[in-house]
Amino acid sequence: NAPDPKWLKEVHSWQQIHINSPEDELRCQYTELIKYGRDCAKHGVKAIQLVGWNHGGQDRGNPSHDTDPRLGTPEEFKQAIADINKLGVKVVLFNKYTWVDITTDWYKNELHRYVAKDPYGIPYQSHGYEYQTPAQFSEINVREFNSMCHLSKEWREIANREFSKNLDYGADGILYDEAFHHGRANYCFDPNHGHRVPGFIFSADEALVEGFRKIAAERNPEFLFSGEALQQQQYKHYSVTYFRIGEQHIAGQRYIDPACNIMVAINGFNDRNRINLCLLYKYIMSYEPYNFKGRLDDFPLTIEYGKKVDALRRKYKEYLWDAECRDTIGAKVTVNGKIHKPYSVFFQPKTGKRAVVIANADLLKKIDVSLKIDGKSDKLFVASPEKPKAKIFKGKISIPPRSVIVIIEGLTK
Protein backbone atom coordinates (compact mmCIF):
# COMPACT_ATOMS: atom_id res chain seq x y z
CA ASN A 1 0.00 0.00 0.00
CA ALA A 2 1.06 3.60 -0.58
CA PRO A 3 2.48 5.36 2.51
CA ASP A 4 0.11 7.47 4.60
CA PRO A 5 0.96 11.04 5.66
CA LYS A 6 2.21 11.07 9.24
CA TRP A 7 -0.67 13.22 10.53
CA LEU A 8 -3.20 10.66 9.34
CA LYS A 9 -1.94 8.10 11.86
CA GLU A 10 -3.15 10.17 14.83
CA VAL A 11 -6.73 10.28 16.11
CA HIS A 12 -8.38 13.18 14.29
CA SER A 13 -11.54 14.45 12.61
CA TRP A 14 -12.38 16.55 9.54
CA GLN A 15 -14.91 19.14 8.46
CA GLN A 16 -16.41 19.22 4.96
CA ILE A 17 -17.38 22.68 3.66
CA HIS A 18 -19.22 23.61 0.45
CA ILE A 19 -18.63 27.15 -0.82
CA ASN A 20 -20.22 27.14 -4.29
CA SER A 21 -22.68 25.01 -6.26
CA PRO A 22 -23.15 24.62 -10.03
CA GLU A 23 -25.81 27.35 -9.81
CA ASP A 24 -23.57 30.07 -8.43
CA GLU A 25 -24.35 30.04 -4.73
CA LEU A 26 -21.20 31.96 -3.81
CA ARG A 27 -21.10 31.22 -0.09
CA CYS A 28 -17.58 32.26 0.83
CA GLN A 29 -14.75 34.26 -0.71
CA TYR A 30 -11.27 32.74 -0.53
CA THR A 31 -10.22 35.53 1.81
CA GLU A 32 -12.96 34.43 4.24
CA LEU A 33 -11.92 30.77 4.42
CA ILE A 34 -9.81 31.49 7.48
CA LYS A 35 -12.98 31.56 9.60
CA TYR A 36 -13.44 27.82 8.97
CA GLY A 37 -9.81 27.24 9.86
CA ARG A 38 -10.31 29.06 13.15
CA ASP A 39 -13.44 26.99 13.87
CA CYS A 40 -11.47 23.80 13.30
CA ALA A 41 -8.55 24.93 15.45
CA LYS A 42 -10.98 25.88 18.23
CA HIS A 43 -12.59 22.42 18.24
CA GLY A 44 -9.48 20.35 17.55
CA VAL A 45 -10.57 19.36 14.04
CA LYS A 46 -7.50 18.45 11.99
CA ALA A 47 -8.57 18.86 8.35
CA ILE A 48 -10.98 20.67 6.04
CA GLN A 49 -12.35 19.05 2.90
CA LEU A 50 -13.18 22.02 0.68
CA VAL A 51 -15.94 21.57 -1.93
CA GLY A 52 -17.04 24.01 -4.63
CA TRP A 53 -13.77 25.95 -4.64
CA ASN A 54 -13.18 25.34 -8.35
CA HIS A 55 -14.34 27.47 -11.29
CA GLY A 56 -18.14 27.13 -11.58
CA GLY A 57 -18.60 25.32 -8.30
CA GLN A 58 -19.21 21.70 -7.41
CA ASP A 59 -19.99 19.43 -10.38
CA ARG A 60 -19.54 22.14 -12.97
CA GLY A 61 -16.76 22.68 -15.48
CA ASN A 62 -15.29 19.19 -14.89
CA PRO A 63 -12.46 18.34 -15.18
CA SER A 64 -11.20 21.90 -14.64
CA HIS A 65 -9.50 22.54 -11.31
CA ASP A 66 -8.98 26.26 -11.83
CA THR A 67 -9.97 28.70 -9.12
CA ASP A 68 -13.11 30.81 -9.58
CA PRO A 69 -12.47 34.55 -10.14
CA ARG A 70 -15.80 35.34 -8.47
CA LEU A 71 -14.43 33.83 -5.24
CA GLY A 72 -11.03 35.51 -5.49
CA THR A 73 -7.66 35.15 -7.15
CA PRO A 74 -5.39 32.10 -7.23
CA GLU A 75 -2.99 34.01 -5.00
CA GLU A 76 -5.75 34.66 -2.45
CA PHE A 77 -6.69 30.99 -2.51
CA LYS A 78 -3.10 29.93 -1.98
CA GLN A 79 -2.71 32.41 0.88
CA ALA A 80 -5.92 31.19 2.52
CA ILE A 81 -4.64 27.61 2.53
CA ALA A 82 -1.30 28.74 3.96
CA ASP A 83 -3.04 30.74 6.70
CA ILE A 84 -5.23 27.77 7.64
CA ASN A 85 -2.15 25.54 7.74
CA LYS A 86 -0.56 27.93 10.26
CA LEU A 87 -3.46 27.13 12.60
CA GLY A 88 -2.52 23.44 12.47
CA VAL A 89 -5.37 22.55 10.10
CA LYS A 90 -4.90 20.70 6.80
CA VAL A 91 -6.79 21.61 3.61
CA VAL A 92 -7.90 18.79 1.31
CA LEU A 93 -9.43 19.83 -2.01
CA PHE A 94 -12.43 18.17 -3.65
CA ASN A 95 -11.35 16.85 -7.09
CA LYS A 96 -13.20 15.01 -9.84
CA TYR A 97 -11.90 13.16 -12.93
CA THR A 98 -14.74 10.74 -13.73
CA TRP A 99 -16.72 13.18 -15.86
CA VAL A 100 -16.49 15.98 -18.37
CA ASP A 101 -19.12 18.74 -18.28
CA ILE A 102 -20.42 18.74 -21.88
CA THR A 103 -21.67 22.33 -21.65
CA THR A 104 -18.13 23.74 -21.77
CA ASP A 105 -16.17 25.01 -24.75
CA TRP A 106 -13.26 22.85 -23.56
CA TYR A 107 -15.41 19.78 -24.13
CA LYS A 108 -16.62 20.95 -27.52
CA ASN A 109 -13.14 21.91 -28.72
CA GLU A 110 -10.98 19.15 -27.25
CA LEU A 111 -12.18 16.88 -24.48
CA HIS A 112 -14.86 15.18 -26.58
CA ARG A 113 -11.98 13.20 -28.10
CA TYR A 114 -11.22 11.42 -24.82
CA VAL A 115 -14.67 10.34 -23.63
CA ALA A 116 -15.70 6.70 -23.42
CA LYS A 117 -17.82 5.54 -26.35
CA ASP A 118 -20.20 2.66 -26.90
CA PRO A 119 -20.00 0.19 -29.85
CA TYR A 120 -21.83 2.71 -32.03
CA GLY A 121 -19.36 5.51 -31.40
CA ILE A 122 -21.77 7.37 -29.10
CA PRO A 123 -20.41 8.82 -25.82
CA TYR A 124 -21.73 7.32 -22.61
CA GLN A 125 -23.74 10.13 -21.08
CA SER A 126 -24.96 10.82 -17.54
CA HIS A 127 -27.93 12.98 -16.73
CA GLY A 128 -26.00 15.02 -14.15
CA TYR A 129 -27.20 16.14 -10.74
CA GLU A 130 -30.27 17.98 -9.51
CA TYR A 131 -29.49 19.54 -6.17
CA GLN A 132 -31.78 22.13 -4.66
CA THR A 133 -33.20 24.72 -7.03
CA PRO A 134 -36.54 24.76 -8.92
CA ALA A 135 -34.68 25.23 -12.21
CA GLN A 136 -32.74 22.00 -11.78
CA PHE A 137 -35.71 20.05 -10.45
CA SER A 138 -37.64 21.23 -13.52
CA GLU A 139 -34.94 19.74 -15.81
CA ILE A 140 -34.09 23.17 -17.19
CA ASN A 141 -30.39 23.65 -16.52
CA VAL A 142 -28.95 20.34 -15.33
CA ARG A 143 -25.37 20.05 -16.55
CA GLU A 144 -24.96 16.68 -18.20
CA PHE A 145 -21.74 14.68 -18.24
CA ASN A 146 -19.86 12.23 -20.40
CA SER A 147 -17.57 9.59 -18.89
CA MET A 148 -13.85 10.07 -19.47
CA CYS A 149 -11.78 7.16 -20.76
CA HIS A 150 -8.87 6.72 -18.35
CA LEU A 151 -7.31 4.27 -20.83
CA SER A 152 -6.42 7.24 -23.03
CA LYS A 153 -2.85 8.35 -22.32
CA GLU A 154 -3.62 11.79 -23.75
CA TRP A 155 -6.49 12.22 -21.32
CA ARG A 156 -4.35 11.12 -18.38
CA GLU A 157 -1.78 13.75 -19.32
CA ILE A 158 -4.51 16.40 -19.20
CA ALA A 159 -5.68 15.03 -15.84
CA ASN A 160 -2.10 15.21 -14.56
CA ARG A 161 -1.95 18.92 -15.40
CA GLU A 162 -5.25 19.53 -13.61
CA PHE A 163 -4.09 17.55 -10.59
CA SER A 164 -0.84 19.53 -10.41
CA LYS A 165 -2.86 22.68 -9.70
CA ASN A 166 -3.68 21.30 -6.24
CA LEU A 167 0.02 21.35 -5.42
CA ASP A 168 0.36 24.84 -6.89
CA TYR A 169 -2.28 26.05 -4.42
CA GLY A 170 -0.42 24.43 -1.51
CA ALA A 171 -3.18 21.94 -0.66
CA ASP A 172 -2.40 19.09 1.73
CA GLY A 173 -4.31 16.53 -0.32
CA ILE A 174 -7.28 15.72 -2.54
CA LEU A 175 -10.52 13.83 -2.14
CA TYR A 176 -11.36 12.33 -5.51
CA ASP A 177 -15.15 12.39 -5.61
CA GLU A 178 -16.87 9.53 -7.45
CA ALA A 179 -13.58 7.67 -7.78
CA PHE A 180 -15.40 4.35 -7.47
CA HIS A 181 -17.22 4.28 -10.84
CA HIS A 182 -17.38 5.52 -14.44
CA GLY A 183 -21.07 6.23 -14.78
CA ARG A 184 -22.66 4.04 -17.42
CA ALA A 185 -19.30 3.28 -19.00
CA ASN A 186 -17.51 0.02 -18.22
CA TYR A 187 -15.87 -0.49 -21.61
CA CYS A 188 -14.69 1.98 -24.23
CA PHE A 189 -14.95 1.17 -27.93
CA ASP A 190 -13.16 4.25 -29.31
CA PRO A 191 -10.31 2.99 -31.58
CA ASN A 192 -8.44 6.31 -31.30
CA HIS A 193 -7.49 6.10 -27.60
CA GLY A 194 -4.57 3.71 -28.00
CA HIS A 195 -6.20 0.81 -26.14
CA ARG A 196 -7.55 -2.51 -27.32
CA VAL A 197 -11.18 -2.41 -28.37
CA PRO A 198 -13.10 -2.77 -26.24
CA GLY A 199 -11.03 -1.53 -23.34
CA PHE A 200 -12.05 -2.11 -19.72
CA ILE A 201 -11.97 1.41 -18.25
CA PHE A 202 -11.58 0.35 -14.61
CA SER A 203 -8.23 -1.23 -15.48
CA ALA A 204 -6.79 2.28 -15.99
CA ASP A 205 -7.85 3.69 -12.60
CA GLU A 206 -4.48 2.56 -11.28
CA ALA A 207 -2.56 4.32 -14.05
CA LEU A 208 -4.42 7.55 -13.36
CA VAL A 209 -3.60 7.68 -9.65
CA GLU A 210 -0.04 6.47 -10.22
CA GLY A 211 0.45 9.50 -12.44
CA PHE A 212 -0.89 11.75 -9.67
CA ARG A 213 1.29 10.07 -7.05
CA LYS A 214 4.44 10.49 -9.14
CA ILE A 215 3.78 14.23 -9.39
CA ALA A 216 3.07 14.55 -5.67
CA ALA A 217 6.12 12.51 -4.65
CA GLU A 218 8.39 15.04 -6.34
CA ARG A 219 6.72 18.07 -4.77
CA ASN A 220 5.14 16.99 -1.47
CA PRO A 221 5.71 13.40 -0.28
CA GLU A 222 3.19 13.99 2.57
CA PHE A 223 0.37 14.78 0.12
CA LEU A 224 -2.83 12.91 0.99
CA PHE A 225 -4.82 10.87 -1.52
CA SER A 226 -8.40 10.12 -0.52
CA GLY A 227 -11.48 9.16 -2.49
CA GLU A 228 -15.20 8.57 -2.24
CA ALA A 229 -16.46 5.01 -1.67
CA LEU A 230 -13.32 3.41 -3.04
CA GLN A 231 -13.27 -0.11 -4.42
CA GLN A 232 -11.04 -2.52 -2.52
CA GLN A 233 -8.33 -2.60 -5.18
CA GLN A 234 -8.02 1.19 -4.88
CA TYR A 235 -7.06 1.02 -1.20
CA LYS A 236 -3.41 0.43 -2.10
CA HIS A 237 -3.25 3.83 -3.81
CA TYR A 238 -5.49 5.99 -1.60
CA SER A 239 -5.03 6.60 2.12
CA VAL A 240 -8.66 7.41 3.01
CA THR A 241 -12.02 6.26 1.69
CA TYR A 242 -15.15 8.34 2.42
CA PHE A 243 -18.72 7.06 2.89
CA ARG A 244 -22.10 8.17 4.17
CA ILE A 245 -23.78 5.71 6.51
CA GLY A 246 -27.11 5.22 8.23
CA GLU A 247 -27.78 4.06 11.76
CA GLN A 248 -28.44 0.49 10.51
CA HIS A 249 -24.99 0.44 8.94
CA ILE A 250 -23.17 -2.86 8.39
CA ALA A 251 -19.38 -2.38 8.49
CA GLY A 252 -18.57 -4.48 5.42
CA GLN A 253 -15.60 -2.40 4.31
CA ARG A 254 -14.06 -2.52 7.76
CA TYR A 255 -14.44 -6.29 7.81
CA ILE A 256 -12.72 -6.53 4.42
CA ASP A 257 -9.81 -4.29 5.44
CA PRO A 258 -9.21 -3.76 9.19
CA ALA A 259 -6.38 -1.29 8.47
CA CYS A 260 -8.08 0.99 5.95
CA ASN A 261 -8.70 4.61 6.94
CA ILE A 262 -12.46 5.04 6.54
CA MET A 263 -14.16 8.42 7.02
CA VAL A 264 -17.92 8.94 7.37
CA ALA A 265 -20.21 11.96 7.35
CA ILE A 266 -21.63 13.29 10.64
CA ASN A 267 -24.44 15.73 9.84
CA GLY A 268 -27.18 15.40 12.49
CA PHE A 269 -27.80 18.06 15.11
CA ASN A 270 -27.40 15.49 17.90
CA ASP A 271 -25.76 12.70 15.95
CA ARG A 272 -24.74 10.47 18.84
CA ASN A 273 -25.58 7.12 17.27
CA ARG A 274 -23.57 7.79 14.14
CA ILE A 275 -20.64 9.04 16.22
CA ASN A 276 -20.90 5.85 18.28
CA LEU A 277 -20.60 3.84 15.07
CA CYS A 278 -17.37 5.69 14.35
CA LEU A 279 -15.99 4.50 17.69
CA LEU A 280 -17.26 0.96 17.04
CA TYR A 281 -15.62 0.62 13.63
CA LYS A 282 -12.61 2.95 13.81
CA TYR A 283 -14.00 5.54 11.41
CA ILE A 284 -12.73 9.09 11.04
CA MET A 285 -15.51 11.65 11.59
CA SER A 286 -16.28 14.23 8.91
CA TYR A 287 -18.42 16.96 10.49
CA GLU A 288 -20.94 18.32 7.98
CA PRO A 289 -23.48 20.71 9.58
CA TYR A 290 -26.32 21.72 7.26
CA ASN A 291 -25.16 19.08 4.75
CA PHE A 292 -21.66 20.60 4.66
CA LYS A 293 -22.83 24.17 4.27
CA GLY A 294 -22.57 25.28 7.91
CA ARG A 295 -20.04 25.87 10.66
CA LEU A 296 -19.03 23.64 13.54
CA ASP A 297 -20.80 25.74 16.15
CA ASP A 298 -24.08 25.17 14.26
CA PHE A 299 -24.43 21.76 15.91
CA PRO A 300 -22.96 22.10 19.42
CA LEU A 301 -24.39 18.82 20.73
CA THR A 302 -22.78 16.87 17.90
CA ILE A 303 -19.38 18.55 17.98
CA GLU A 304 -19.05 18.34 21.76
CA TYR A 305 -19.95 14.65 21.84
CA GLY A 306 -17.64 13.92 18.92
CA LYS A 307 -14.79 15.60 20.77
CA LYS A 308 -15.43 13.37 23.78
CA VAL A 309 -15.30 10.26 21.61
CA ASP A 310 -12.04 11.30 19.97
CA ALA A 311 -10.58 12.18 23.38
CA LEU A 312 -11.43 8.65 24.52
CA ARG A 313 -9.72 7.25 21.44
CA ARG A 314 -6.61 9.29 22.19
CA LYS A 315 -6.57 8.20 25.84
CA TYR A 316 -6.75 4.52 24.86
CA LYS A 317 -5.16 4.87 21.43
CA GLU A 318 -3.34 1.52 21.48
CA TYR A 319 -6.70 -0.21 22.06
CA LEU A 320 -9.10 1.85 19.94
CA TRP A 321 -7.06 3.32 17.08
CA ASP A 322 -3.86 1.34 16.60
CA ALA A 323 -5.47 -2.07 17.19
CA GLU A 324 -7.34 -4.15 14.60
CA CYS A 325 -11.12 -3.93 14.47
CA ARG A 326 -12.35 -7.53 14.15
CA ASP A 327 -16.11 -7.06 14.06
CA THR A 328 -17.54 -9.37 16.75
CA ILE A 329 -14.79 -12.00 16.64
CA GLY A 330 -13.42 -12.82 20.09
CA ALA A 331 -16.26 -11.78 22.39
CA LYS A 332 -19.97 -12.21 22.99
CA VAL A 333 -22.23 -9.42 24.26
CA THR A 334 -25.69 -10.29 25.55
CA VAL A 335 -28.76 -8.53 26.93
CA ASN A 336 -31.12 -10.76 28.90
CA GLY A 337 -29.31 -13.79 27.52
CA LYS A 338 -29.71 -12.79 23.86
CA ILE A 339 -26.94 -11.57 21.55
CA HIS A 340 -26.80 -7.78 21.47
CA LYS A 341 -25.69 -5.60 18.58
CA PRO A 342 -23.93 -3.42 17.72
CA TYR A 343 -20.61 -4.21 19.32
CA SER A 344 -17.08 -4.64 18.02
CA VAL A 345 -13.85 -6.22 19.18
CA PHE A 346 -10.43 -4.58 18.85
CA PHE A 347 -7.32 -6.78 18.96
CA GLN A 348 -3.66 -5.91 19.54
CA PRO A 349 -1.56 -8.39 17.52
CA LYS A 350 1.60 -7.77 19.57
CA THR A 351 0.08 -8.23 23.04
CA GLY A 352 -3.07 -10.21 22.30
CA LYS A 353 -5.09 -7.77 24.43
CA ARG A 354 -8.59 -6.81 23.43
CA ALA A 355 -11.09 -4.01 23.81
CA VAL A 356 -14.83 -4.36 23.24
CA VAL A 357 -16.96 -1.39 22.19
CA ILE A 358 -20.68 -1.76 22.95
CA ALA A 359 -23.36 0.72 21.83
CA ASN A 360 -26.98 1.20 22.78
CA ALA A 361 -28.75 2.75 19.78
CA ASP A 362 -32.18 2.88 21.44
CA LEU A 363 -33.53 6.41 21.63
CA LEU A 364 -35.21 6.04 25.02
CA LYS A 365 -34.31 2.88 26.94
CA LYS A 366 -31.17 1.87 28.77
CA ILE A 367 -29.87 -1.68 28.44
CA ASP A 368 -28.01 -3.99 30.83
CA VAL A 369 -25.24 -5.81 28.95
CA SER A 370 -23.08 -8.78 29.87
CA LEU A 371 -19.76 -9.63 28.24
CA LYS A 372 -17.88 -12.87 27.71
CA ILE A 373 -14.42 -12.73 26.10
CA ASP A 374 -13.14 -15.85 24.35
CA GLY A 375 -10.33 -17.71 26.07
CA LYS A 376 -8.37 -16.55 29.07
CA SER A 377 -8.66 -12.84 29.82
CA ASP A 378 -6.81 -10.32 31.94
CA LYS A 379 -8.71 -8.07 34.31
CA LEU A 380 -11.30 -5.95 32.49
CA PHE A 381 -11.91 -2.22 32.83
CA VAL A 382 -14.75 -0.04 31.53
CA ALA A 383 -14.78 3.57 30.30
CA SER A 384 -17.03 5.82 28.20
CA PRO A 385 -16.84 9.17 26.40
CA GLU A 386 -18.55 10.87 29.36
CA LYS A 387 -16.55 8.90 31.97
CA PRO A 388 -13.15 8.32 30.38
CA LYS A 389 -11.40 7.27 33.60
CA ALA A 390 -11.42 3.46 33.53
CA LYS A 391 -12.98 1.47 36.36
CA ILE A 392 -13.02 -2.26 37.00
CA PHE A 393 -15.70 -4.06 34.97
CA LYS A 394 -17.75 -6.42 37.13
CA GLY A 395 -19.34 -8.51 34.40
CA LYS A 396 -22.50 -6.50 33.76
CA ILE A 397 -23.20 -2.83 33.16
CA SER A 398 -26.03 -0.48 32.12
CA ILE A 399 -25.69 1.62 28.98
CA PRO A 400 -27.94 4.69 28.66
CA PRO A 401 -29.83 5.41 25.41
CA ARG A 402 -27.72 6.55 22.42
CA SER A 403 -24.55 5.83 24.39
CA VAL A 404 -21.46 3.66 24.16
CA ILE A 405 -18.98 2.03 26.50
CA VAL A 406 -15.53 0.51 26.04
CA ILE A 407 -14.41 -2.56 27.99
CA ILE A 408 -10.62 -2.88 27.97
CA GLU A 409 -8.53 -5.94 28.76
CA GLY A 410 -5.37 -5.78 30.89
CA LEU A 411 -5.22 -2.02 31.30
CA THR A 412 -2.04 -0.97 33.11
CA LYS A 413 -2.53 2.79 33.42
Side-chain angles (χ1 to χ4, degrees):
N1 287 5
D4 294 337
K6 295 182 182 66
W7 64 269
L8 196 66
K9 300 180 186 300
E10 302 302 317
V11 177
H12 68 282
S13 56
W14 295 34
Q15 182 187 5
Q16 184 177 179
I17 305 162
H18 177 281
I19 61 171
N20 189 19
S21 78
E23 293 186 283
D24 300 334
E25 297 168 273
L26 307 174
R27 299 178 181 277
C28 178
Q29 295 290 299
Y30 298 144
T31 54
E32 300 171 325
L33 286 173
I34 190 64
K35 65 186 180 184
Y36 295 108
R38 292 182 182 129
D39 289 349
C40 289
K42 171 185 170 183
H43 291 289
V45 173
K46 186 64 177 180
I48 290 171
Q49 184 201 158
L50 190 61
V51 180
W53 61 271
N54 54 297
H55 196 182
Q58 179 186 1
D59 294 326
R60 176 174 167 184
N62 297 329
S64 172
H65 292 80
D66 288 336
T67 54
D68 194 319
R70 296 167 303 171
L71 298 176
T73 66
E75 292 74 21
E76 288 172 335
F77 189 49
K78 184 176 180 179
Q79 187 62 52
I81 293 172
D83 290 343
I84 292 172
N85 284 167
K86 290 175 184 176
L87 298 172
V89 179
K90 307 294 184 181
V91 178
V92 177
L93 298 181
F94 181 96
N95 277 216
K96 187 167 290 192
Y97 302 94
T98 300
W99 311 115
V100 58
D101 177 350
I102 66 174
T103 70
T104 67
D105 290 338
W106 192 14
Y107 168 77
K108 295 166 186 174
N109 295 332
E110 179 186 12
L111 293 181
H112 65 88
R113 297 199 291 267
Y114 311 119
V115 300
K117 292 179 182 173
D118 68 14
Y120 313 105
I122 299 170
Y124 289 101
Q125 192 160 325
S126 169
H127 176 64
Y129 298 110
E130 301 161 354
Y131 284 115
Q132 61 204 47
T133 65
Q136 284 193 329
F137 293 147
S138 299
E139 306 285 345
I140 293 172
N141 63 338
V142 177
R143 292 176 182 272
E144 298 191 347
F145 302 132
N146 285 349
S147 298
M148 300 306 298
C149 177
H150 289 357
L151 291 159
S152 166
K153 183 179 178 182
E154 290 81 5
W155 155 240
R156 294 200 306 271
E157 289 174 351
I158 294 170
N160 284 343
R161 291 195 292 273
E162 292 303 311
F163 167 77
S164 295
K165 295 173 183 178
N166 295 279
L167 292 153
D168 295 339
Y169 305 137
D172 298 288
I174 64 165
L175 192 141
Y176 179 175
D177 190 57
E178 298 188 77
F180 61 96
H181 74 120
H182 295 284
R184 292 175 50 236
N186 293 318
Y187 293 88
C188 179
F189 292 81
D190 192 319
N192 301 310
H193 289 175
H195 57 71
R196 61 177 295 176
V197 176
F200 184 52
I201 299 171
F202 283 87
S203 67
D205 288 350
E206 190 168 355
L208 181 77
V209 70
E210 283 179 346
F212 295 167
R213 278 202 167 272
K214 183 178 180 181
I215 294 167
E218 296 171 354
R219 298 179 60 181
N220 180 6
E222 285 287 292
F223 196 83
L224 172 70
F225 287 83
S226 57
E228 181 190 15
L230 298 173
Q231 306 281 359
Q232 283 71 52
Q233 69 271 20
Q234 294 176 295
Y235 285 2
K236 65 180 180 178
H237 293 293
Y238 295 84
S239 295
V240 176
T241 182
Y242 169 82
F243 293 93
R244 289 181 173 86
I245 63 173
E247 292 189 6
Q248 302 302 315
H249 170 66
I250 296 173
Q253 297 296 323
R254 174 56 71 223
Y255 198 84
I256 290 168
D257 189 344
C260 179
N261 296 300
I262 298 175
M263 181 168 63
V264 302
I266 305 296
N267 53 20
F269 286 96
N270 190 10
D271 215 348
R272 291 177 64 96
N273 279 342
R274 203 160 1 211
I275 291 172
N276 291 339
L277 290 174
C278 290
L279 181 58
L280 276 156
Y281 303 122
K282 202 170 75 170
Y283 294 162
I284 302 164
M285 290 181 278
S286 173
Y287 295 116
E288 303 180 7
Y290 289 108
N291 288 322
F292 58 99
K293 298 174 184 65
R295 298 177 67 173
L296 294 178
D297 285 328
D298 289 334
F299 56 6
L301 295 175
T302 292
I303 188 67
E304 292 304 321
Y305 184 63
K307 287 158 66 174
K308 286 183 172 67
V309 167
D310 273 349
L312 188 74
R313 293 203 269 202
R314 291 188 187 95
K315 184 175 180 66
Y316 303 109
K317 183 172 181 284
E318 65 270 31
Y319 289 93
L320 300 175
W321 191 262
D322 298 334
E324 292 181 0
C325 180
R326 293 190 168 185
D327 193 51
T328 61
I329 296 173
K332 181 187 290 185
V333 177
T334 58
V335 174
N336 297 325
K338 297 180 180 180
I339 294 295
H340 166 77
K341 289 186 179 181
Y343 74 94
S344 61
V345 179
F346 287 77
F347 178 78
Q348 294 181 345
K350 290 184 180 179
T351 67
K353 293 181 179 179
R354 291 156 289 186
V356 182
V357 183
I358 310 169
N360 176 13
D362 195 278
L363 300 180
L364 300 173
K365 299 177 182 178
K366 71 177 182 66
I367 56 174
D368 296 319
V369 300
S370 300
L371 169 69
K372 182 179 179 181
I373 290 185
D374 294 352
K376 186 178 179 180
S377 172
D378 289 342
K379 186 179 291 186
L380 300 177
F381 297 81
V382 61
S384 71
E386 291 90 350
K387 297 179 180 179
K389 187 176 180 180
K391 296 183 179 180
I392 294 175
F393 176 64
K394 298 179 179 179
K396 192 172 184 178
I397 191 169
S398 293
I399 306 177
R402 303 170 70 195
S403 296
V404 67
I405 62 166
V406 178
I407 298 174
I408 301 171
E409 180 183 20
L411 195 63
T412 57
K413 58 180 180 177

